[in-house]
Amino acid sequence: MPPTDATALAWQRASPIAMVYFALKSLRALVHLWPTLIPLVAGGESVRQWFLTWGIPAVICLVLLGVVLHWWFFSFAIEEKRLTLRSGVFNRTRLSLDFERVQQADIAHPFYFRPFNLATLGLESAGSSQQEVDVPGIPIALAESLRKNILEQQLQAKSDTQTFDSETRTSGKTTPDYHLNLNAAEIVRYGLMHNSLLYLAPLAAPLGQYLGPVFEQSLTQLEASQWYSLFDWLSTNLAISIGVVLAVFAVLVGTTFLFGLSVILALFRFWNYELTRVGERYQSRAGLTTIRTRGFKTHKLQKVTLTQGLIAKCLKRYTVHISKAGGGVAVQTAQSQDKHFLVPVVDWLNWLLLRDELNMPAARWRRVHSFSWRFPFVVYSALICTLSAAFAIAFGPWALLGLLLLPLAFLINRRLWRQKGYFYNGEWLAWRSGFIGFSEQWLPVGKLQKIEVCETPLKRWVGLCDLQVLGADGKVSLVCLPKAEAHRLRDALLTGVVMYKKPWF
Amino acid sequence: MSLQDAVVTAEQLPPLDREPWSAISPSYRAVLRWTVLLYCVIPLVGLGLVIAFDLEHLRTPAKMLAAAIVVLALFLLAVWVPRRVHHTQYLLRELDVHKRTGFWWHKTVSAGTNRVQHIEVTQGPIERLYGLSKLVLYTAGGYQSDIKIPGLPTDEAHRLKQYLTERIVSEELETEHAAH
């Protein structure tokens, strides 16, 4: 772009409230600097003292200064068909985004913008290096009109190159073709089903040594309270020490706390979740403090994953992930979660409805070869027998009790095998696996990228091979197929791929 | 453009196994041998230093490790390299590209030409010595989704690249026609 053009642009600055956005962003960036805290731990008392008196105020000042500068140097210009952004304090960057290249336009309403009628417009551009651009702190009306503008431009660009598809006709339509609304109870279920905080639980162990003295102090208070009589009663009746009762109690309280937290987080994230389809465009809208709108079009779908974990199984609910084009690239980036289109919790009926919407068939699963469980079982049995025998010789015959693990290994391997299955019907290839719960991965055949037939020496010997299928969103392995079947499937899949003449990205 | 009327499988492609696969250049053996040597020499030099400087209790393990590396290198040079090169074959058809390779772990990789995003011909220093190049086909699956055909004579690699690029362009034109 010639420099004269640049001066002609009407540069606008975001509202000062946008500084909150930049502050939050730089706080997120600060988290990545946590290794710098290592010297504090290693450095001893004087270093820590010095850091508290000078370091923390200095960091705060720097962050504040950075936030103000970031806001000051962030400006944007809107033209008829293009949005140009200037940002950066030292590294000035300038980014032009043609509306017709924008793949997705979201409007987020964070809680700190809502009282001021402001919003963040998030744009995602197409291309191999998926770029994400946020324009924070612009009036909601402007954001809405920009988004509308962008969508219109896209439609125009499309009607230039393609036939008028259903979208143009339905874009004026307000009633969705499909609608799913999740109430609070369902979202609470999601919080219970997907408790990522449980992974934090092992962290409690090192904290335990600090908690120990606190615990002992409160124990004396506890002994005075009437609760103690309950624990005492439990411990005498169950003939276990009071320590065990207290420990079990502490674990229960901790787990409940984590689940409660997870539920609250889920409520914040998915409050009033709404999924709609208009024409071929799906859109979800959810959030308590920050309302997020995400969308995808059917032709961009790359993979559908249906999962059900242990708790979900008890609650009879499922989770559906839908990956869009470019999802495979995004796996490496931090916010991979955002690249997936998530239907957090559906019951069986709603899954059937959604499955129909996505034109997915009912699966008739085919089992993989029984070698899939026989071989690991043989390996584990050999291991268990050898170890039991060795321990029996070394420590006495009671070690032969280890042989009781054999039926367990049998059951586990058999269960794993029974949960495995594949399905192919010309349009979809699906793979299912799991132990207690399950996960089904559905790939549209026409969009597969690469197909591999792998034979390990052992499997070749028994006439089996694995089929690995790479879509634009990751790899799916169909293990232990008979060789002829795998080759037939590979040829059929390839035919499906080369005959697929429609846009897939 | 919904998924509703996606293509129904017609088994139009003949099975792969009976197709005339082309072998890669036999001089790729030399390239592989140099690579193996390079990878083996580096740890051997390190172990040699340990033995030369006579570090007390490290001497015996170092000797054993060095012996293991030498045995491994001999195995790789004499058995693995020829078999690997013999087993690496590729097949170009009008609509798809295939490669198969593997010493014990056999692997056949296939992709439709209409899924290839871009094509690269690369040449390392050792490959240049022997006038060979590597053809790399990238698909859109991100990490791991490329097909590498090593050990092609350089001009052949470029001719294949030329041919495939033309195929891709014509595919794209066809797709656009179909969309109209």
Side-chain angles (χ1 to χ4, degrees):
Chain A
M1 194 186 289
T4 47
D5 210 331
T7 49
L9 289 177
W11 291 103
Q12 302 179 46
R13 202 162 275 146
S15 148
I17 315 291
M19 278 194 254
V20 183
Y21 168 88
F22 289 115
L24 288 177
K25 212 172 146 185
S26 47
L27 280 185
R28 232 174 282 157
L30 271 185
V31 171
H32 290 290
L33 292 178
W34 65 266
T36 51
L37 292 178
I38 290 171
L40 288 184
V41 179
E45 200 50 48
S46 60
V47 176
R48 254 169 274 174
Q49 199 59 44
W50 182 87
F51 180 77
L52 281 179
T53 41
W54 297 105
I56 288 180
V59 168
I60 290 174
C61 284
L62 272 177
V63 167
L64 282 181
L65 185 70
V67 164
V68 173
L69 284 177
H70 265 292
W71 169 74
W72 182 257
F73 284 106
F74 180 87
S75 51
F76 60 95
I78 302 164
E79 286 165 89
E80 200 188 336
K81 291 189 173 181
R82 185 187 295 138
L83 177 74
T84 313
L85 296 174
R86 278 194 309 199
S87 62
V89 181
F90 296 111
N91 296 329
R92 308 275 293 146
T93 51
R94 198 189 148 112
L95 190 109
S96 293
L97 208 67
D98 287 343
F99 286 163
E100 61 173 70
R101 294 207 168 272
V102 172
Q103 195 153 12
Q104 188 171 317
D106 299 332
I107 299 177
H109 305 271
F111 63 95
Y112 44 87
F113 280 161
R114 266 200 248 166
F116 308 95
N117 270 335
L118 298 173
T120 301
L121 181 69
L123 302 176
E124 207 173 280
S125 76
S128 54
S129 67
Q130 290 234 327
Q131 273 187 312
E132 270 200 344
V133 179
D134 276 347
V135 190
I138 54 175
I140 289 181
L142 179 64
E144 296 276 3
S145 78
L146 260 177
R147 182 161 183 249
K148 216 177 123 200
N149 201 347
I150 287 166
L151 290 180
E152 271 168 15
Q153 287 283 344
Q154 275 182 335
L155 280 184
Q156 250 178 32
K158 201 179 250 178
S159 57
D160 286 346
T161 55
Q162 288 180 4
T163 45
F164 243 62
D165 62 17
S166 58
E167 166 124 18
T168 339
R169 272 178 274 125
T170 48
S171 61
K173 209 159 78 174
T174 46
T175 48
D177 302 326
Y178 168 78
H179 186 239
L180 172 73
N181 203 345
L182 297 180
N183 57 26
E186 293 289 312
I187 292 154
V188 168
R189 285 195 179 98
Y190 177 85
L192 295 174
M193 279 154 56
H194 295 264
N195 197 340
S196 49
L197 295 168
L198 269 188
Y199 299 113
L200 292 177
L203 287 181
L207 274 178
Q209 59 173 338
Y210 296 104
L211 286 176
V214 181
F215 204 62
E216 272 164 29
Q217 272 177 16
S218 55
L219 202 62
T220 48
Q221 287 174 9
L222 196 71
E223 270 175 40
S225 78
Q226 40 180 277
W227 283 99
Y228 189 76
S229 55
L230 180 67
F231 290 125
D232 202 32
W233 178 80
L234 268 176
S235 91
T236 45
N237 275 287
L238 296 173
I240 41 177
S241 79
I242 190 101
V244 174
V245 175
L246 280 175
V248 168
F249 181 71
V251 167
L252 280 180
V253 168
T255 319
T256 319
F257 173 72
L258 283 182
F259 272 101
L261 214 58
S262 161
V263 164
I264 290 168
L265 282 179
L267 284 173
F268 267 89
R269 213 171 130 203
F270 295 116
W271 182 255
N272 202 10
Y273 181 92
E274 225 175 302
L275 174 70
T276 50
R277 177 173 74 87
V278 177
E280 69 151 16
R281 186 176 171 79
Y282 287 82
Q283 189 161 311
S284 76
R285 200 183 135 87
L288 188 63
T289 50
T290 303
I291 297 170
R292 251 174 241 285
T293 318
R294 297 206 70 81
F296 83 97
K297 290 187 186 149
T298 342
H299 74 264
K300 292 209 173 112
L301 180 147
Q302 302 294 331
K303 185 163 100 177
V304 180
T305 315
L306 176 77
T307 51
Q308 186 183 46
L310 169 63
I311 299 172
K313 192 169 181 169
C314 301
L315 296 170
K316 295 200 175 69
R317 290 295 184 275
Y318 307 84
T319 302
V320 185
H321 283 270
I322 299 171
S323 332
K324 307 178 282 181
V329 185
V331 169
Q332 284 117 46
T333 67
Q335 288 168 319
S336 61
Q337 226 174 16
D338 282 359
K339 297 284 179 182
H340 287 244
F341 191 88
L342 181 67
V343 187
V345 47
V346 286
D347 54 14
W348 184 244
L349 184 67
N350 272 321
W351 161 241
L352 289 185
L353 290 173
L354 183 63
R355 198 175 71 180
D356 268 5
E357 288 295 321
L358 295 167
N359 287 315
M360 287 160 62
R364 285 188 309 279
W365 298 105
R366 301 187 57 180
R367 288 253 166 83
V368 298
H369 195 270
S370 58
F371 181 80
S372 165
W373 73 268
R374 284 174 205 267
F375 176 65
F377 176 61
V378 166
V379 171
Y380 286 127
S381 319
L383 207 68
I384 291 169
C385 291
T386 327
L387 282 180
S388 311
F391 277 101
I393 291 164
F395 303 108
W398 57 265
L400 286 176
L401 283 177
L403 289 178
L404 287 179
L405 287 173
L406 280 176
L408 193 69
F410 174 78
L411 288 176
I412 289 176
N413 281 310
R414 221 178 135 76
R415 170 74 183 169
L416 281 170
W417 170 66
R418 288 177 77 89
Q419 288 286 69
K420 286 192 181 95
Y422 67 98
F423 170 75
Y424 168 72
N425 78 335
E427 279 181 43
W428 292 88
L429 177 74
W431 171 249
R432 173 195 162 99
S433 65
F435 181 54
I436 296 173
F438 70 89
S439 143
E440 288 175 14
Q441 291 169 295
W442 290 76
L443 297 159
V445 168
K447 296 172 184 177
L448 296 180
Q449 300 292 323
K450 191 167 103 168
I451 301 158
E452 297 177 352
V453 174
C454 305
E455 298 167 76
T456 64
L458 196 68
K459 282 183 183 164
R460 193 164 62 236
W461 187 51
V462 291
L464 297 175
C465 47
D466 298 344
L467 191 71
Q468 300 194 331
V469 188
L470 280 98
D473 183 64
K475 177 149 101 178
V476 176
S477 292
L478 281 62
V479 296
C480 288
L481 304 182
K483 198 172 172 182
E485 167 73 0
H487 283 207
R488 194 189 63 79
L489 202 55
R490 189 252 324 264
D491 291 339
L493 289 174
L494 261 180
T495 315
V497 171
V498 298
M499 301 305 285
Y500 193 83
K501 301 283 184 201
K502 289 178 219 154
W504 60 276
F505 207 87
Chain B
M1 279 319 132
S2 69
L3 294 167
Q4 218 158 20
D5 50 354
V7 179
V8 184
T9 327
E11 303 244 356
Q12 295 184 333
L13 296 168
L16 274 180
D17 287 327
R18 290 187 287 278
E19 300 278 341
W21 291 77
S22 355
I24 58 167
S25 160
S27 37
Y28 187 61
R29 275 185 288 207
V31 177
L32 275 185
R33 286 203 172 113
W34 279 114
T35 323
V36 168
L37 278 180
L38 272 180
Y39 274 105
C40 290
V41 157
I42 296 166
L44 278 181
V45 167
L47 291 171
L49 286 177
V50 169
I51 296 167
F53 280 95
D54 208 6
L55 296 172
E56 251 325 296
H57 29 266
L58 284 180
R59 229 176 140 185
T60 329
K63 275 182 181 166
M64 280 160 68
L65 200 58
I69 290 176
V70 169
V71 169
L72 180 73
L74 284 178
F75 168 76
L76 288 177
L77 291 178
V79 184
W80 181 76
V81 167
R83 196 175 142 116
R84 166 108 189 167
V85 172
H86 178 72
H87 275 236
T88 307
Q89 294 170 329
Y90 66 94
L91 171 66
L92 250 66
R93 296 196 292 189
E94 214 164 293
L95 297 173
D96 42 17
V97 189
H98 312 266
K99 183 193 86 166
R100 63 181 179 198
T101 184
F103 178 75
W104 274 324
W105 276 262
H106 290 188
K107 194 176 202 177
T108 312
V109 187
S110 318
T113 329
N114 54 351
R115 290 291 167 272
V116 176
Q117 298 271 309
H118 66 279
I119 309 168
E120 225 173 60
V121 173
T122 64
Q123 193 179 41
I126 307 175
E127 286 171 318
R128 198 170 308 141
L129 269 182
Y130 292 90
L132 297 177
S133 289
K134 188 187 277 176
L135 186 71
V136 190
L137 311 170
Y138 290 93
T139 61
Y143 179 63
Q144 280 192 334
S145 73
D146 41 3
I147 299 181
K148 292 188 185 119
I149 305 176
L152 297 170
T154 302
D155 66 319
E156 197 183 320
H158 281 281
R159 272 190 288 132
L160 287 179
K161 183 182 167 213
Q162 182 74 24
Y163 167 76
L164 281 169
T165 317
E166 275 166 21
R167 285 272 350 148
I168 295 168
V169 172
S170 67
E171 284 274 352
E172 267 167 20
L173 286 178
E174 262 175 55
T175 316
E176 262 171 44
H177 273 292
H180 269 289

